[in-house]
Amino acid sequence: MEKKKFPIVERVIEFSEDVYIENSQVTMCAESIVSEKEWEQFEENSLVLVDGNDIYQYCSEYPIVVYCCNSDSGLESPCRLNGFIQNITISTVCEGKRFSIKKREMPFEFVGPTTVAYITDNIGRHNIISNYNIFKMLLKKPKLVLSSEGLLIFYTEKYILATNDCEHYTYVDIDTDNCIINGIEVCDECCVVSTTREDYEEDYEVRFTINMLETDIMISSSVTKI
């Protein structure tokens, strides 16, 4: 029997210059002297993000951390983290415009610089992560593992957050007042969380339940000390 292919998570925190988005031909010149070709290049190279009825267009982007699927996973292109998400990016962005979609018009205002977190979905759209708790967690550059169900499990030394789409989520309730989280091992039906408490180690078994009929609490977890 052929072994099931599973995404291999990669957390990228170092970037080369060619990854940055910079449109100096637009930002450093008066718009009246920018050529048609330069405008076309800008439209191709700028970062466009969607947030409900607002659309953001940024001239410059400097990634801080990217979570993606390693190409060695053997998945069909595009490699993806799960059925909702291709990758997740946290970036500093500059020189932007926010367009608000309203009846019969689309007014805009200048915005930036700021820090944004967004997902790239599996058809290539960039959607802003507007959930504050997920955004706050991502700013800490947590580590990431995937559960056997495809849940994205982010963790630091103190917190564990699981989500399927970067909108619905749950915190895993482990008492970390006097301990630190060392790592998470993914098993077929559960995850094992390893912790260090003072001078000894403790492991916890975590099981997740996903109820797609719920809107408020779609994801829940149960924790058992091993």
Side-chain angles (χ1 to χ4, degrees):
M1 181 181 295
E2 183 181 357
K3 186 177 180 180
K4 183 179 179 182
K5 296 176 181 177
F6 196 79
I8 300 174
V9 176
E10 183 176 1
R11 182 184 66 158
V12 183
I13 57 176
E14 294 184 4
F15 304 91
S16 58
E17 286 283 339
D18 58 0
V19 174
Y20 301 148
I21 293 177
E22 295 179 313
N23 287 286
S24 56
Q25 75 275 17
V26 172
T27 57
M28 302 299 291
C29 304
E31 292 190 3
S32 59
I33 63 173
V34 178
S35 68
E36 189 66 28
K37 183 178 180 179
E38 288 173 332
W39 279 121
E40 291 176 359
Q41 292 175 340
F42 166 68
E43 291 174 0
E44 292 178 0
N45 295 331
S46 60
L47 174 66
V48 177
L49 304 174
V50 178
D51 183 15
N53 289 331
D54 292 335
I55 298 174
Y56 294 81
Q57 184 179 38
Y58 289 100
C59 297
S60 305
E61 178 188 16
Y62 305 95
I64 299 169
V65 57
V66 174
Y67 298 92
C68 57
C69 173
N70 190 294
S71 58
D72 291 338
S73 301
L75 300 175
E76 294 182 2
S77 182
C79 294
R80 62 189 188 277
L81 293 174
N82 64 17
F84 294 102
I85 297 171
Q86 182 176 335
N87 53 55
I88 301 170
T89 305
I90 299 89
S91 290
T92 296
V93 290
C94 306
E95 298 102 20
K97 289 182 179 180
R98 180 175 66 189
F99 299 86
S100 298
I101 301 175
K102 298 182 179 180
K103 294 180 180 179
R104 298 170 54 187
E105 59 181 9
M106 187 182 286
F108 76 87
E109 63 177 336
F110 293 101
V111 293
T114 190
T115 300
V116 296
Y118 64 90
I119 68 167
T120 302
D121 66 21
N122 287 320
I123 59 174
R125 295 173 301 192
H126 302 317
N127 299 307
I128 284 181
I129 297 173
S130 55
N131 185 293
Y132 176 74
N133 287 329
I134 297 177
F135 175 70
K136 183 179 176 180
M137 182 70 163
L138 291 172
L139 291 180
K140 299 175 182 179
K141 296 190 286 188
K143 295 179 180 178
L144 171 64
V145 295
L146 290 180
S147 74
S148 57
E149 307 95 337
L151 286 177
L152 284 72
I153 306 173
F154 295 97
Y155 68 97
T156 65
E157 290 186 348
K158 289 294 182 182
Y159 300 101
I160 302 174
L161 182 150
T163 178
N164 58 345
D165 57 2
C166 284
E167 180 177 351
H168 302 90
Y169 73 99
T170 186
Y171 282 111
V172 176
D173 187 15
I174 292 178
D175 180 13
T176 56
D177 287 343
N178 298 307
C179 75
I180 62 172
I181 297 167
N182 297 321
I184 299 178
E185 179 184 357
V186 177
C187 304
D188 289 340
E189 296 182 355
C190 68
C191 293
V192 176
V193 180
S194 301
T195 69
T196 299
R197 187 181 301 274
E198 296 179 349
D199 58 349
Y200 62 96
E201 295 182 352
E202 285 184 341
D203 292 343
Y204 296 85
E205 179 185 278
V206 181
R207 294 180 180 268
F208 294 98
T209 301
I210 305 173
N211 186 348
M212 300 296 286
L213 296 177
E214 291 289 341
T215 55
D216 295 330
I217 308 176
M218 185 179 294
I219 306 166
S220 58
S221 63
S222 61
V223 178
T224 305
K225 186 185 294 187
I226 300 176

